[in-house]
Every structure is written in C-alpha cells, then in structure tokens.
Amino acid sequence: MQKFNRNQRITSITKILIENPNKIINLNRFTQLFNAAKSTISEDIVVIRETFNRLSFGNIETIPGAAGGIKYTCGISKEKTLEFAEELCIILQDKQRIVPGEFMYISDIMFNPQIIQKAAVILASKFNKDNVDYVVTVETKGIPLAYEVAKMLGVNLVIVRRDNKVTEGPTVAINYVSGSNKRIQTMSLSKRSIKKGSRCIFIDDFMKAGGTALGIINLLKEFESELIGIGVLIDNIGTEKKLVRDYMSIIKFNGIDEEDNPILYPDKSFKK
Amino acid sequence: MQKFNRNQRITSITKILIENPNKIINLNRFTQLFNAAKSTISEDIVVIRETFNRLSFGNIETIPGAAGGIKYTCGISKEKTLEFAEELCIILQDKQRIVPGEFMYISDIMFNPQIIQKAAVILASKFNKDNVDYVVTVETKGIPLAYEVAKMLGVNLVIVRRDNKVTEGPTVAINYVSGSNKRIQTMSLSKRSIKKGSRCIFIDDFMKAGGTALGIINLLKEFESELIGIGVLIDNIGTEKKLVRDYMSIIKFNGIDEEDNPILYPDKSFKK
C-alpha cells in the first residue's frame, strides 16, 4: 500500500474529526487507514490541534487509556459569535417578516443550513462538557437547529410530537399550558426514545414565556430523566413573565417599533 | 501577522470546505486568512483535492472567472455505500421494531446524526450537478435527512406542513390522497418559502405508494416550480403500485417474514 505524506494525512484526519464531533476516535483507525506509526499520527494531530486553537475552530482533546483516542469538540470565538448574532439581527430586522399577531416569519433562517450550522456551534459549545445524552426539541421549526446541536455533541436527537403517530409504538403524553396564550396543549413522545436516567438539553427556535420548555421538563420526568439546559436562537423578552429561568439565547427580540420593524439585538450575556 | 505553514493552511482549508459544501469559495478568503500568495493556496488545494479523490471523500472543483474559486462537493464510493446500507439493514432487522399495522419504528435511526450524515452524502451525491434550488420534505421524521441533503447541496430546506401555522404568513394548501390507505390529507406551505421557477428535490425517510411524493409534485406546481428528483432512505417494495416512478432509495423493505422480522436489503440499483 502506498503511504500517505503528512499533508495528505492532515487533510484526511481533519475531515474525519469534523464529521465526528464529540466522538472518541481511536488512533488505530488512522494508523490503519494511512499505514503509519502511532507517533507519526500523534504529530499530525499536534499540528491540527494547534491550528484549530489558533483560529478558534474548536478543540482536539486526547483521551488516555485503552478506550481512548482523540476527540474534536466544536468551538467559536466570542468575536465570531457576536458578529454572527449581529448579522442575523440585520437579516431579521425587516418589517416584511412580521405576520399578524406580532409573530415573526423565520422559516427561511431556521431552514438555512449555513446559518443553522453556526448557531448550533454557538449553542453546542456551551454543553460540550456536560455529558449530554440527548438533545430534545418539539416539532417543527427548531428541528434542524436541534439536530445540528445533537451532531456537535455526538448524541441522538429526540423529537417530541404534538400528535400521536402510528409508527412510534407506545407513547407517553402530557398536557401543558402554553405560557403566552394559556391554552392547554398536548405533547407526546415514544416510550423507547429516551433511556431512564438520561441528561437532556432542550433546543428550540424561539422562546416566548417558556411554556413549552416547562412542558419538556415535565415530560422528561415521566422518563425519569433530567433537563440540564435550554438553548434557543431567539428569545422574546417582551413577554412579562418567563416560566423557566436558566436558558441561553443568541438573539433578543423585543417586539416591534412604531414603524413596525422588529427590534432585535445580540444576547450580550452570551459569554464564551 | 504570523504566517501559517502548509500543514496549518491545509487543515484550515479542509475544515472550511467541509463546512461549506457546494458553495464557491473565492481564493481571496484564504489568501487573506493566511496572508499567503494565491499560488501558495492553489498548491495547498491540489494536495487536498488529490487526497479527497484517493479516499473517495468527494471532489474539489475549480471554478474559473472573477466570481470563481473552489467548491467542495460530497461523494462516497460504491463500496462504502453498500457497506453502509448493509450495516443499516442489520440494525433494522429486529422484530422489536415492528409496531401494530406492519409499521417499523425507525425514529432512533432518523434522529441519529452519524447515520443521517452518511445517508445524506449518498443521496446528495446524486444531485450535485443538478442545480437544485431547494430540498423539500414533509414534517416530521425525514427532516434531519432532508436538512443534511440540503446542506450538502448548499441550498435551503423547505418543510411542508400538515397543518397551518400562525407564524408562516399566507400559505398555499392542497389536498392529496395517500397512496396506501386512500385517505384524503392536506399539505400546506408558506407562500414565501419557494421562489417561482425553482428546481426542487423531495427527500423523505420512507416511501410506501408514493402518495406524499405525488402531493409534493402538485404542491410545487402551485409555486410554478418543478420536482426534479426524489430520494428516500427506505423504500417499501411490498406496496402493489407506486404512484411515482423515478426515485432513489438506500434500503428496500419487503414486509415481515414468518418470524415477524422485517425483511430488508440494500438497494443494489443504487449506482455511483
């Protein structure tokens, strides 16, 4: 077998790491793929790690032991986070987006992979060290964002449904009161989707009063599991009272101004 | 500014390319980031391209002209595709997955980022050259797969809804007959989600008779847009008559055997 030189190994290892965030990859995988010594691969990884650190591209950790290897975790600088949030505010500050009821049309943003990928890195980088087992969301608009966060954390996504689907097998359903309009709603989840004793985070596109998040906390109790974090893209701070306290957001939305333009700004409390 | 050496540039360029599939990236971005000459960057790219080709990691194209640059498109070998399909069949061949009505529980698969990422590369690599404008799916289970395909093709995802949401603004709704149980159902889509004259592909988790796909074709007509391709993870070939003809799948599902185990095998017609 023809050997690979350092440049070739580095481009390949980078690709494999980027596509497997938060997963431990044993160095044997690389020694076999490239027919190279472990020490050679270790040197390659030093180069990749230093470059990633220098450009705030995330971290590459070495995990010792027989089951060890290397693990890439996503990351982004404070400056890039702010820059992203500011750009997003400009895109969203458009009166055309306001639909009757002071709702904002954001589907084009939530379904834009380049935007969602960056937003997911910002949110996921807060939970890299929290041993998250599942990323939970409620259908529909937040699914791509929650999926990307799950990918970055190397875990499965769980989608809570509004209705009961024939393909899900036995489900657990709860009723909850939406915080903003006080209506009773139902959410259901397949019994086999979450293992007992799991640590979950809830990711969504938009938070108003937080009624959905509170519903998720109660639903997870039925699975003897715990919600350890909440992250949303946009936080509506015009809501009088929030039903949940600890959560993170990327952008704050504070209603519309006298010219019907949405008022938005980056969440500055969002620290690295 | 401190310079970057070749190894460092290569790991960074690889990361940027992988995170921006099917997007043209001007070389100026790299010359500025690394404070390097265009000829130097071009040499870096030759290394990355050759390595990607050698390992069937996808292609890196050079687009000439002022608006040109380089573009990464995803790819996977025929062997890896078959290997993936075979592994997936083994995971799915489990009688525990069969729920009443001969439905199969596949949410754990559809919401597993590592599996979905690979499936998306297989499907997207068929459409890299088709100038796709949008990837369309119907809520809910196929969303992560459709999102990943959209990302690989560098376009936006479009999610067709079963109901009418207050946040979507004016919508277009059509009725369609589901192919397997002949029930009339509704699908709706926000008017602003697709531009007139677009070329779309439909991606979903599972195809039975293809009634949903036919519905999408009709819905897109209302947007004066065209469906140019269909891709699903699992094709139920136990269905008597398919309502659509041209589509691709990764796995074939042929009902259950006398021991209630699902019968599954890789779609061998799936050529590179």
Side-chain angles (χ1 to χ4, degrees):
Chain A
M1 182 185 151
Q2 218 197 314
K3 289 257 188 181
F4 287 76
N5 65 30
R6 167 138 297 157
N7 289 327
Q8 293 170 327
R9 290 192 308 270
I10 282 180
T11 188
S12 312
I13 295 173
T14 302
K15 181 169 187 283
I16 292 168
L17 288 174
I18 296 296
E19 291 178 346
N20 294 282
N22 227 15
K23 295 279 184 192
I24 298 172
I25 302 175
N26 196 287
L27 293 195
N28 291 336
R29 175 157 169 198
F30 299 122
T31 57
Q32 281 161 19
L33 180 62
F34 303 124
N35 188 19
K38 220 167 197 167
S39 57
T40 310
I41 301 294
S42 294
E43 285 166 28
D44 297 340
I45 288 162
V46 169
V47 173
I48 301 173
R49 178 185 291 128
E50 284 174 0
T51 312
F52 274 38
N53 287 345
R54 188 165 161 195
L55 292 166
S56 297
F57 274 1
N59 295 308
I60 293 157
E61 243 177 281
T62 302
I63 289 98
I70 54 167
K71 189 174 80 168
Y72 157 70
T73 49
C74 69
I76 183 169
S77 68
K78 224 172 130 175
E79 295 72 39
K80 289 264 177 207
T81 300
L82 190 61
E83 192 184 303
F84 170 77
E86 279 168 351
E87 281 171 15
L88 200 51
C89 286
I90 292 168
I91 297 171
L92 291 171
Q93 266 152 7
D94 175 359
K95 74 173 77 172
Q96 307 268 348
R97 292 191 173 272
I98 300 298
V99 294
E102 272 197 32
F103 292 107
M104 199 168 25
Y105 180 79
I106 55 168
S107 291
D108 57 329
I109 299 298
M110 296 313 298
F111 304 158
N112 179 322
Q114 290 205 302
I115 291 175
I116 290 309
Q117 190 172 224
K118 275 187 204 152
V121 168
I122 294 172
L123 295 175
S125 59
K126 302 290 153 184
F127 299 106
N128 271 330
K129 292 186 191 308
D130 290 342
N131 297 315
V132 173
D133 295 307
Y134 298 99
V135 174
V136 180
T137 193
V138 175
E139 56 186 353
T140 301
K141 257 205 316 283
I143 295 175
L145 179 62
Y147 168 80
E148 276 284 7
V149 172
K151 187 160 85 179
M152 293 297 164
L153 296 177
V155 300
N156 255 31
L157 171 68
V158 168
I159 300 180
V160 174
R161 305 274 201 150
R162 304 259 180 217
D163 54 2
N164 199 348
K165 280 287 191 179
V166 290
T167 52
E168 295 305 291
T171 55
V172 175
I174 64 150
N175 294 314
Y176 69 103
V177 181
S178 83
S180 32
N181 59 18
K182 307 281 179 212
R183 259 197 305 178
I184 290 203
Q185 302 199 40
T186 303
M187 49 170 81
S188 84
L189 184 57
S190 173
K191 278 189 86 168
R192 55 179 107 180
S193 59
I194 292 185
K195 287 199 191 95
K196 229 196 275 187
S198 293
R199 295 163 59 84
C200 306
I201 61 169
F202 172 58
I203 298 290
D204 211 355
D205 55 330
F206 201 93
M207 181 183 290
K208 259 182 138 164
T212 309
L214 199 61
I216 293 288
I217 292 173
N218 290 323
L219 181 64
L220 288 177
K221 281 183 189 152
E222 298 297 321
F223 288 81
E224 299 177 40
S225 291
E226 198 189 347
L227 191 73
I228 61 158
I230 300 171
V232 297
L233 184 67
I234 304 172
D235 177 25
N236 185 342
I237 57 167
T239 310
E240 269 187 32
K241 193 175 156 258
K242 294 280 182 188
L243 300 173
V244 289
R245 251 200 282 171
D246 288 330
Y247 63 93
M248 56 186 62
S249 64
I250 297 178
I251 284 177
K252 298 289 183 192
F253 170 51
N254 195 10
I256 55 173
D257 65 17
E258 60 275 19
E259 281 168 342
D260 290 342
N261 288 307
I263 303 164
L264 295 145
Y265 50 89
D267 187 345
K268 293 279 176 59
S269 70
F270 203 99
K271 299 227 175 57
K272 176 71 196 168
Chain B
M1 184 183 150
Q2 218 196 315
K3 289 254 187 184
F4 286 77
N5 66 30
R6 168 138 298 156
N7 288 328
Q8 294 171 326
R9 289 192 309 269
I10 281 179
T11 187
S12 312
I13 295 172
T14 302
K15 181 170 188 283
I16 293 168
L17 288 174
I18 296 296
E19 290 179 346
N20 294 281
N22 227 15
K23 295 279 183 191
I24 298 172
I25 302 176
N26 196 288
L27 293 194
N28 289 337
R29 176 160 169 197
F30 299 122
T31 57
Q32 281 161 19
L33 181 61
F34 303 124
N35 188 19
K38 219 167 198 164
S39 57
T40 310
I41 301 294
S42 294
E43 285 166 28
D44 297 340
I45 289 162
V46 169
V47 173
I48 301 173
R49 178 186 290 128
E50 283 174 2
T51 311
F52 275 37
N53 288 345
R54 189 166 161 195
L55 292 167
S56 296
F57 274 1
N59 295 308
I60 292 157
E61 246 177 279
T62 301
I63 288 97
I70 55 167
K71 190 173 80 169
Y72 157 70
T73 49
C74 69
I76 183 169
S77 69
K78 227 172 129 175
E79 294 72 38
K80 288 266 174 204
T81 300
L82 190 61
E83 192 184 304
F84 170 78
E86 278 167 351
E87 280 171 13
L88 200 50
C89 286
I90 292 168
I91 297 172
L92 291 170
Q93 265 151 9
D94 175 358
K95 75 174 77 170
Q96 306 269 348
R97 290 191 174 273
I98 300 298
V99 294
E102 273 198 34
F103 292 106
M104 198 169 24
Y105 179 79
I106 55 168
S107 292
D108 56 330
I109 299 298
M110 297 313 298
F111 304 158
N112 179 321
Q114 290 204 300
I115 292 175
I116 289 310
Q117 191 172 222
K118 275 188 203 151
V121 167
I122 294 172
L123 295 174
S125 59
K126 304 289 154 184
F127 299 107
N128 271 330
K129 292 185 192 307
D130 289 342
N131 298 317
V132 172
D133 295 307
Y134 297 99
V135 174
V136 180
T137 193
V138 174
E139 55 185 354
T140 300
K141 256 203 318 284
I143 295 176
L145 179 61
Y147 167 81
E148 276 284 5
V149 172
K151 187 161 84 180
M152 293 297 165
L153 296 177
V155 300
N156 255 32
L157 170 68
V158 168
I159 301 179
V160 174
R161 304 274 200 149
R162 304 259 180 216
D163 54 1
N164 197 348
K165 279 289 192 178
V166 289
T167 51
E168 296 303 292
T171 55
V172 175
I174 64 151
N175 294 313
Y176 70 103
V177 181
S178 84
S180 31
N181 59 17
K182 306 280 179 215
R183 258 199 303 178
I184 290 203
Q185 303 199 41
T186 303
M187 50 170 80
S188 84
L189 184 57
S190 172
K191 280 191 86 168
R192 55 179 108 180
S193 60
I194 292 184
K195 287 200 189 94
K196 230 198 274 187
S198 293
R199 294 163 59 83
C200 306
I201 61 169
F202 173 58
I203 298 290
D204 212 354
D205 54 330
F206 201 91
M207 182 184 288
K208 260 182 138 164
T212 308
L214 199 61
I216 294 288
I217 292 173
N218 290 324
L219 180 64
L220 288 177
K221 281 182 189 155
E222 298 296 322
F223 288 81
E224 297 176 43
S225 291
E226 198 189 346
L227 192 73
I228 60 158
I230 300 170
V232 298
L233 184 68
I234 305 172
D235 177 25
N236 184 342
I237 56 167
T239 310
E240 269 187 33
K241 192 176 157 257
K242 293 280 182 187
L243 300 173
V244 290
R245 252 198 283 169
D246 288 330
Y247 63 93
M248 56 187 61
S249 64
I250 298 178
I251 285 178
K252 299 287 184 196
F253 171 52
N254 196 9
I256 55 173
D257 65 16
E258 60 276 18
E259 281 169 341
D260 291 343
N261 288 309
I263 303 164
L264 295 145
Y265 49 89
D267 187 345
K268 293 281 175 61
S269 69
F270 203 101
K271 300 230 174 54
K272 177 70 199 174

